[in-house]
């Protein structure tokens, strides 16, 4: 799994800006490299974020998802695992305090996977 550094920095900034509410978006890109976030309508609060994937344009290639946890917990919840299993291959969780060490990437089963960050 690979993502662009600018994308990771954007995820951290968006999560921090929306704190204490969770935020959720989809990740897209080319050749398996995460390059952009797709924001669809979603509902959120301090303990949940639900994205409306039925609003996704037809034919759009989704690599995975991104969402935030307003507490410093990086492990996926049962609700996270349910979303992971439905869309994409990799899923990034960023957690408070939203710094360069407070994020992890998971596969659709909730197993942590390594990510190469591209400049």
């Amino acid at each position: 799994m690979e993502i662009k550094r600018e994308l990771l920095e954007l995820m951290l900034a968006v999560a921090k800006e929306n704190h204490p509410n969770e935020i959720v978006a989809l990740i897209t890109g080319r050749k398996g490299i995460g390059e952009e976030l797709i924001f669809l309508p979603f509902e959120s609060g301090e303990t949940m974020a639900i994205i409306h994937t039925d609003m996704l344009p037809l034919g759009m290639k989704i690599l995975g998802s991104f969402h935030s946890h307003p507490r410093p917990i990086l492990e996926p919840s049962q609700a996270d695992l349910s979303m992971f299993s439905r869309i994409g291959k990799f899923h990034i969780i960023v957690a408070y305090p939203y710094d360069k060490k407070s994020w992890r990437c998971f596969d659709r089963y909730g197993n942590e996977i390594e990510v190469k960050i591209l400049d």
Side-chain angles (χ1 to χ4, degrees):
M1 169 59 225
E2 300 176 328
I3 63 169
K4 295 205 171 190
R5 182 175 308 281
E6 299 86 32
L7 180 62
L8 177 59
E9 290 170 355
L10 176 62
M11 290 176 195
L12 294 167
V14 167
K16 190 173 193 174
E17 182 178 307
N18 285 278
H19 184 83
N21 292 326
E22 290 193 14
I23 187 152
V24 62
L26 302 176
I27 301 170
T28 188
R30 292 175 289 159
K31 299 181 182 177
I33 299 171
E35 299 177 321
E36 296 179 5
L37 293 178
I38 303 297
F39 290 94
L40 297 175
F42 67 94
E43 300 168 42
S44 73
E46 293 183 18
T47 59
M48 63 86 179
I50 301 168
I51 192 164
H52 297 282
T53 56
D54 56 322
M55 305 287 284
L56 188 65
L58 292 176
M60 181 161 282
K61 175 78 171 159
I62 300 301
L63 301 176
S65 69
F66 141 75
H67 82 278
S68 64
H69 285 174
R71 294 180 286 149
I73 298 170
L74 286 166
E75 291 79 29
S77 67
Q78 285 300 328
D80 295 338
L81 293 172
S82 177
M83 181 180 70
F84 292 178
S85 69
R86 291 190 321 266
I87 191 162
K89 292 183 179 180
F90 67 90
H91 306 276
I92 294 178
I93 296 176
V94 301
Y96 181 83
Y98 315 114
D99 60 24
K100 292 181 181 178
K101 294 181 180 182
S102 58
W103 67 277
R104 298 285 183 276
C105 187
F106 302 90
D107 66 15
R108 67 181 337 137
Y109 306 104
N111 301 308
E112 189 171 336
I113 57 175
E114 192 171 322
V115 175
K116 181 178 179 182
I117 300 172
L118 305 174
D119 286 317

